Amino acid sequence: MSSLSLSRLRSGVLQSASEPAVKTLALLALCAAYIQGPLSKIADFPGAIAEMQHFGLTPPSALAVLVIGFELTASAMVVAGVFRWLAALALAGFTLIATLIALRFWEMVPGMDRMMATNAFFEHLGLAGAFMLVAISDLTKGSKP
């Protein structure tokens, strides 16, 4: 590809990425798991409590409520641009902690379940990294949606 073609491609991508709707959709996609998860927990609150109990977290009811509130609030902050950097860092930290609790692949016997947990573990590390990049971008450029 010639440098002129790359320059045009870069310009087109930059123009598209500068659109507020594109940025909002990208932030919604980044937060999708933190929107869907708590909505599922609300729809099946006994299941949310069972999930907390499964991972040995107590008190399970209170923690389920806190997780639901945290994920929805932090996601709304990221998408809306209200202290986006802070909410993104909080979601990165939450993701790392939850990943270390829920995806302990190194304790599993070799096989399909371990491979799936390993993949999910590293995908979650990438998600935490993406939230860190959002925070860095916000801190260095400002949080205009």
Side-chain angles (χ1 to χ4, degrees):
M1 191 176 264
S2 73
S3 63
L4 181 59
S5 296
L6 281 174
S7 178
R8 285 184 181 156
L9 176 62
R10 182 182 186 282
S11 177
V13 169
L14 184 59
Q15 183 177 352
S16 295
S18 300
E19 294 294 326
V22 172
K23 186 174 182 180
T24 299
L25 285 173
L27 291 168
L28 277 169
L30 180 61
C31 293
Y34 304 91
I35 297 168
Q36 174 274 328
L39 294 178
S40 293
K41 285 176 177 61
I42 291 168
D44 179 16
F45 195 68
I49 293 170
E51 180 182 36
M52 298 300 154
Q53 290 170 328
H54 172 78
F55 292 115
L57 302 172
T58 58
S61 296
L63 284 175
V65 169
L66 283 172
V67 167
I68 290 166
F70 168 75
E71 288 183 306
L72 289 174
T73 301
S75 294
M77 291 170 68
V78 167
V79 174
V82 177
F83 290 103
R84 180 179 289 138
W85 65 271
L86 183 60
L89 286 177
L91 283 167
F94 173 82
T95 301
L96 290 173
I97 292 166
T99 299
L100 290 169
I101 291 170
L103 297 168
R104 302 174 70 82
F105 69 89
W106 55 90
E107 294 178 350
M108 300 172 76
V109 296
M112 182 61 75
D113 287 343
R114 181 178 178 159
M115 184 175 65
M116 302 269 298
T118 302
N119 289 340
F121 181 92
F122 287 99
E123 289 168 358
H124 282 78
L125 287 183
L127 188 56
F131 278 117
M132 291 175 66
L133 288 172
V134 167
I136 291 166
S137 174
D138 217 50
L139 287 168
T140 58
K141 295 179 184 172
S143 60
K144 295 175 180 58

